[in-house]
Amino acid sequence: MDRNSVIGFALIAAIMMVWLQFMNPQNKTQVEKTATRSEMVDTVPTGAIPPPAAVRADSLGTFAQASVGAEKTTIIENDLFTATLSSRGATLKSLVLKKHLDGSKKLFNLVSDQQKGALSMLFLSSDGKRIDTRDLNFRSVESSESVTVTGRQTQSVSYIFDVDDSRSIQVTWNFTGDSYEVGYDLKLTGLGTTMVGNEYQLVWNGGLTYSEKNKVDESTNAIASAFQGGGVVKLDAKDAKQAYKEESSGKAQWVAVRNKYFVAALIPLRESEGIYLYGTKKAGQEFENYVAALKMTVPSGQQVVQEHYRLYLGPIDYNTVRALHVGLEKIMDFGWDWLTRPFAEYVILPIFNWMNKYVTNYGLIIIIFAFLIKMVTYPLSLASTKSMKKMSALQPLMQELQEKYKDNPAKMQTELGRIYKEAGVNPLGGCLPTVIQMPLLFAMFYVFRSSIQLRQHGFLWAKDLSVPDSILDFGFAVPLYGDHIAVMPILMAVTVFVQQKITPTTQTNDQMKIMMWMFPAMMLLFFNSMPAGLGLYYLMFNIFSIAQQAYINASVSDEEKAAAAMQVASVTKPAQSQKKGVRKK
């Protein structure tokens, strides 16, 4: 590797370091409507989570008669989850996924507010009361306390709240045996004049329970979000000193809350009036509490209004959420829309999904993927090696020019450019293959960091390819390095060193010797906190690169070397002739 190549690698590493710190996926939005910040106030804004204290009957006005009563729960079990519905609010109290465990490999409840539940209808009554249906006691239409549904079977569970003889709210949940999608229907009778402005909100309260061991990392991925006007709005309540709010009018395809790997999304089947997102975080805690709401209006003068919604309650699996055809896959952060996201959506994920049909272990899939990428970049590596051979042959002439024009840098650069052009070499050719791969590297970082495919899938000593393959936790953080020792980055740094040793170089000065050690060290520091899957990819890519470089070195024949020397000689002759001509004058 020549000096330019090493400088190129060093710059790439520096860019990765800076990018990791300042371009964190959750520090930016994708389209973006920036979430506005508002100072915490004493009054609870519309749509925000009410305080946990018991609701007083006199705060419900004409709805007060249903504020008390016995709660009845119904358990619905399908192939993918077990849900618990409550007559208190006709809401969802629990959702336990069957095929996805938490970081301790235990079942967990996605609903964070288990006391009041997650989903509710919110509106302002004509007598000025703020009505949250989670405070109302519905009556259950079904008598069964437990229902099981499998395959393509469907099951509905309905609740009714009677305000009086002419006014009522009916909530119907619709489950399918093999789907994370749930139907949610509202039947509003005689409520047109009861709701101020004929407006209400469908609200998901409380965010989602954190599922991973690394709560700090999960907190960086927890957001409330919406897809509106062709753009994604993301709200991140990362600062405990502030409350965050985003409120806007217009049609929305969905609103959602998510943690690192799971999402709860509300999808309207008719045009909404707007969105409301709200988030807070308590000091000293990593959990971020979110509200996501759809603003809806009901037609005035209509006695009975039927409303239909789709809910998605499950893993953030790209193919699954994309199949909803509402753009919910856009909640997945794959980086820059114009660069890394296309690599993630149209290269990495399709190839991984295709290979997964034949190979079940994702570690093997990553190795095969690294091999395929290495084969694709082989022509670049071959051209780079030949260019380095020519650069090596040009060194005596370059040193001569540098000495001759040391007091005239502009002239020296002009002459060097002429020589590069006539000799047919690219001074940056050594690092070109790596530069071209950088968008792929960043895209893989996002995929491995946010996609559920690698979660809890192990390979060799790595128990989970979506997190670092730590073999020793310090219990404290070492500056730049982290709080653990991961094996993949160490092995990768070794292969980087070996690769540098066998790659042709044009210089052997002290700076090059320093970089020979510095660059692997930089890679070690950078990848120590990366997912093990990403470390495995680059480890195998480097191993394939070493084998490929050894083959290229052995295959460059003496004739090719002689041809390169002759081409360099043809460049030096005009310069020497010009020098002789100057002496004659």
Side-chain angles (χ1 to χ4, degrees):
M1 235 186 280
D2 66 356
R3 181 178 61 186
N4 289 322
S5 299
V6 174
I7 291 174
F9 274 111
L11 288 174
I12 290 168
I15 290 172
M16 288 193 293
M17 292 286 191
V18 174
W19 166 77
L20 184 64
Q21 295 298 321
F22 298 103
M23 294 297 291
N24 186 288
Q26 299 304 331
N27 289 339
K28 62 187 183 67
T29 53
Q30 283 185 329
V31 167
E32 289 214 0
K33 295 184 177 180
T34 304
T36 59
R37 298 180 179 183
S38 61
E39 295 297 327
M40 186 70 73
V41 293
D42 294 333
T43 58
V44 181
T46 303
I49 301 173
V55 177
R56 292 171 49 185
D58 58 6
S59 69
L60 298 176
T62 57
F63 292 81
Q65 73 275 15
S67 62
V68 294
E71 180 183 23
K72 177 185 176 182
T73 59
T74 301
I75 297 175
I76 297 91
E77 183 175 357
N78 73 358
D79 300 336
L80 304 174
F81 58 76
T82 300
T84 301
L85 302 180
S86 171
S87 62
R88 185 72 173 180
T91 189
L92 180 67
K93 282 289 188 77
S94 173
L95 187 79
V96 178
L97 304 181
K98 293 182 176 182
K99 297 186 177 182
H100 299 280
L101 307 178
D102 66 9
S104 300
K105 302 295 182 68
K106 297 180 180 179
L107 295 171
F108 71 103
N109 182 6
L110 268 179
V111 177
S112 64
D113 191 347
Q114 298 175 28
Q115 179 184 2
K116 299 200 67 172
L119 198 66
S120 67
M121 179 183 171
L122 190 72
F123 60 91
L124 188 65
S125 66
S126 57
D127 55 354
K129 305 301 182 180
R130 178 180 177 276
I131 306 301
D132 183 335
T133 54
R134 293 180 300 166
D135 300 325
L136 307 179
N137 192 44
F138 287 67
R139 58 182 172 87
S140 178
V141 175
E142 282 74 30
S143 58
S144 300
E145 296 183 357
S146 180
V147 177
T148 300
V149 54
T150 61
R152 298 307 302 167
Q153 295 177 350
T154 59
Q155 177 68 45
S156 297
V157 178
S158 295
Y159 298 92
I160 298 176
F161 169 72
D162 295 307
V163 184
D164 51 38
D165 292 340
S166 60
R167 294 180 299 170
S168 66
I169 301 173
Q170 180 172 330
V171 176
T172 302
W173 294 79
N174 305 297
F175 297 89
T176 303
D178 58 356
S179 178
Y180 290 107
E181 186 178 342
V182 177
Y184 183 84
D185 299 335
L186 286 173
K187 182 180 179 181
L188 309 177
T189 303
L191 292 183
T193 58
T194 302
M195 297 184 294
V196 174
N198 285 8
E199 296 179 351
Y200 74 92
Q201 295 181 18
L202 185 66
V203 187
W204 181 277
N205 302 273
L208 291 179
T209 303
Y210 286 2
S211 60
E212 307 307 295
K213 288 184 177 180
N214 189 337
K215 304 304 181 185
V216 175
D217 179 54
E218 183 139 26
S219 180
T220 64
N221 290 274
I223 59 171
S225 186
F227 188 39
Q228 184 181 37
V232 178
V233 182
K234 293 183 179 181
L235 184 141
D236 185 0
K238 57 187 176 182
D239 189 349
K241 298 179 181 179
Q242 303 186 58
Y244 295 76
K245 181 175 71 171
E246 174 70 30
E247 187 171 12
S248 61
S249 301
K251 180 181 178 180
Q253 280 72 29
W254 51 260
V255 295
V257 297
R258 64 165 290 181
N259 56 22
K260 186 172 184 179
Y261 291 113
F262 304 96
V263 64
L266 314 182
I267 306 166
L269 294 186
R270 70 174 178 90
E271 188 168 321
S272 65
E273 294 297 314
I275 63 165
Y276 181 92
L277 306 178
Y278 184 79
T280 59
K281 181 178 181 180
K282 290 184 178 180
Q285 297 182 9
E286 295 300 332
F287 181 74
E288 297 173 4
N289 208 349
Y290 289 108
V291 162
L294 290 166
K295 295 181 178 181
M296 308 296 293
T297 59
V298 297
S300 59
Q302 190 168 327
Q303 178 66 16
V304 178
V305 177
Q306 300 273 6
E307 300 278 38
H308 304 283
Y309 299 89
R310 300 161 66 194
L311 312 180
Y312 178 82
L313 311 170
I316 307 176
D317 178 275
Y318 180 82
N319 293 327
T320 303
V321 297
R322 190 184 183 198
L324 298 173
H325 302 295
V326 293
L328 187 57
E329 70 276 6
K330 296 183 183 298
I331 201 172
M332 302 179 70
D333 197 333
F334 290 145
W336 299 285
D337 282 343
W338 55 274
L339 184 62
T340 56
R341 192 174 189 93
F343 273 92
E345 289 189 301
Y346 304 117
V347 178
I348 299 173
L349 288 174
I351 292 177
F352 272 38
N353 291 330
W354 176 76
M355 287 194 292
N356 193 226
K357 295 178 181 179
Y358 309 99
V359 182
T360 57
N361 187 283
Y362 273 98
L364 294 177
I365 290 175
I366 291 172
I367 293 174
I368 297 171
F369 186 79
F371 179 78
L372 293 175
I373 296 299
K374 191 69 238 179
M375 290 298 97
V376 170
T377 58
Y378 173 76
L380 290 174
S381 300
L382 180 60
S384 173
T385 298
K386 291 183 177 180
S387 178
M388 298 297 288
K389 296 290 185 183
K390 291 182 180 180
M391 286 291 295
S392 180
L394 282 173
Q395 283 304 302
L397 179 58
M398 293 170 62
Q399 292 173 359
E400 181 182 343
L401 289 174
Q402 290 169 354
E403 179 65 26
K404 179 179 179 180
Y405 298 111
K406 61 183 179 181
D407 297 327
N408 190 348
K411 180 65 174 176
M412 180 179 67
Q413 290 300 322
T414 300
E415 288 297 312
L416 288 176
R418 179 184 63 83
I419 290 175
Y420 290 150
K421 182 177 180 180
E422 294 181 6
V425 297
N426 182 358
L428 297 179
C431 63
L432 185 60
T434 301
V435 172
I436 291 176
Q437 292 176 68
M438 293 313 296
L440 181 63
L441 168 64
F442 290 143
M444 292 187 71
F445 167 80
Y446 284 110
V447 170
F448 290 174
R449 184 178 187 273
S450 61
S451 296
I452 201 169
Q453 280 87 347
L454 299 184
R455 181 179 183 264
Q456 297 181 358
H457 284 270
F459 182 70
L460 298 178
W461 62 86
K463 297 179 180 180
D464 188 342
L465 289 170
S466 67
V467 298
D469 59 319
S470 172
I471 59 169
L472 177 63
D473 294 326
F474 299 143
F476 57 89
V478 177
L480 297 180
Y481 185 63
D483 59 359
H484 63 270
I485 296 177
V487 178
M488 293 289 185
I490 296 175
L491 297 177
M492 191 195 69
V494 172
T495 60
V496 169
F497 180 81
V498 173
Q499 185 181 2
Q500 289 183 116
K501 292 288 287 185
I502 69 170
T503 301
T505 180
T506 61
Q507 298 187 28
T508 58
N509 54 36
D510 291 339
Q511 290 181 342
M512 292 294 297
K513 292 179 181 178
I514 293 174
M515 288 303 300
M516 188 72 71
W517 293 96
M518 184 178 295
F519 187 65
M522 293 171 67
M523 293 294 98
L524 171 61
L525 294 176
F526 177 74
F527 277 90
N528 192 60
S529 61
M530 295 294 103
L534 191 63
L536 174 62
Y537 167 78
Y538 258 77
L539 169 63
M540 297 308 303
F541 186 87
N542 288 342
I543 290 175
F544 294 141
S545 296
I546 291 171
Q548 188 180 84
Q549 190 63 57
Y551 171 78
I552 292 174
N553 291 345
S555 63
V556 176
S557 63
D558 293 337
E559 290 78 6
E560 289 176 306
K561 295 177 182 179
M566 290 178 63
Q567 188 171 3
V568 169
S570 67
V571 175
T572 63
K573 287 179 181 179
Q576 292 172 350
S577 299
Q578 187 176 5
K579 288 176 65 178
K580 291 179 181 179
V582 171
R583 288 173 184 170
K584 287 180 181 180
K585 290 183 179 179

